[in-house]
Amino acid sequence: GYQPVQESIDAQRRKQSDLESQQPNANRDLRAYNDDVEELERLRSYAREQQRVLPNNPDIPGFLDAINRTAADNGLTIKLVLPEAEVVDQFYVRIPVRVEVNGTYLDIGKFFRAIGQMPRVINMENISLSLPVTGEDGKVRVDARMQATTFRALTDAEQQRQQDAAARAAEGNNTPRAGAARAGGGGR
């Protein structure tokens, strides 16, 4: 009678030994998994931050509202905020907006600083200032004209068009030129 029990004990000891030998690999795999989970969360966080800086959705009404609100909050009189046509570049799309404001030099400087602190990338370009004029309140004011440009990521369709154009350009560089000698060609 003790032999079946002994065989069962021996089988359980072999199983325990196998599991103990697998333990270091399982611990290594668990550490690798945990590292991968942490890296995934870091990448997701980075992607969220990048999405704030270079959004897929341009949210033009929100962008225009931010410019208007920032100008008004900094004491400027808004004369014009006019979106212009988007410009597709290789890796992103430029969204230019023509802006005209009136205010003191200090107010205009505070406006630029506030724009620069926004999470979204906004370039202020082509800035021109009028001659200063002293108002009835004794403050010196100027008109400022500029282009505020923000950006958005390319859509999948825009990326595909970029890739297709690059492929066509590459093919154009590999096609025989007119008048070039052709292999195996005999004239007629």
Side-chain angles (χ1 to χ4, degrees):
Y2 293 111
Q3 188 165 1
V5 173
Q6 187 60 41
E7 289 174 1
S8 177
I9 290 172
D10 291 343
Q12 290 300 319
R13 284 185 179 150
R14 283 191 301 276
K15 189 174 183 180
Q16 179 181 0
S17 178
D18 288 345
L19 290 173
E20 287 173 352
S21 69
Q22 293 173 9
Q23 184 69 35
N25 289 339
N27 287 340
R28 184 193 68 234
D29 292 346
L30 178 61
R31 282 191 302 275
Y33 172 77
N34 288 335
D35 291 346
D36 289 346
V37 168
E38 287 176 18
E39 179 66 13
L40 178 61
E41 185 50 39
R42 277 193 299 274
L43 290 173
R44 284 181 176 157
S45 175
Y46 179 75
R48 283 189 300 271
E49 181 63 28
Q50 293 305 307
Q51 182 69 22
R52 286 180 4 144
V53 174
L54 186 65
N56 291 329
N57 176 1
D59 184 24
I60 296 304
F63 173 58
L64 297 176
D65 182 54
I67 289 175
N68 282 318
R69 193 175 48 254
T70 303
D73 288 351
N74 286 285
L76 298 176
T77 302
I78 302 158
K79 297 177 102 180
L80 176 73
V81 177
L82 179 66
E84 297 180 342
E86 291 185 346
V87 179
V88 178
D89 285 330
Q90 185 174 359
F91 300 108
Y92 52 85
V93 176
R94 295 171 161 272
I95 305 170
V97 175
R98 201 165 39 156
V99 178
E100 294 180 16
V101 295
N102 177 277
T104 66
Y105 287 109
L106 178 60
D107 292 342
I108 292 170
K110 290 189 308 188
F111 170 70
F112 287 146
R113 184 174 189 281
I115 291 289
Q117 292 181 332
M118 291 183 172
R120 183 176 191 152
V121 174
I122 302 172
N123 289 349
M124 302 303 275
E125 307 167 302
N126 304 325
I127 300 167
S128 67
L129 300 175
S130 69
L131 292 174
V133 175
T134 303
E136 292 177 11
D137 59 0
K139 292 185 178 179
V140 176
R141 298 186 187 286
V142 294
D143 288 333
R145 292 181 181 92
M146 66 212 73
Q147 180 173 302
T149 303
T150 192
F151 306 86
R152 69 169 172 80
L154 293 172
T155 63
D156 291 340
E158 290 165 334
Q159 287 177 353
Q160 188 60 52
R161 283 194 295 272
Q162 292 283 21
Q163 292 169 356
D164 293 347
R168 283 192 303 277
E171 289 172 4
N173 292 336
N174 295 330
T175 56
R177 291 183 303 277
R182 292 193 175 99
R188 289 189 190 216

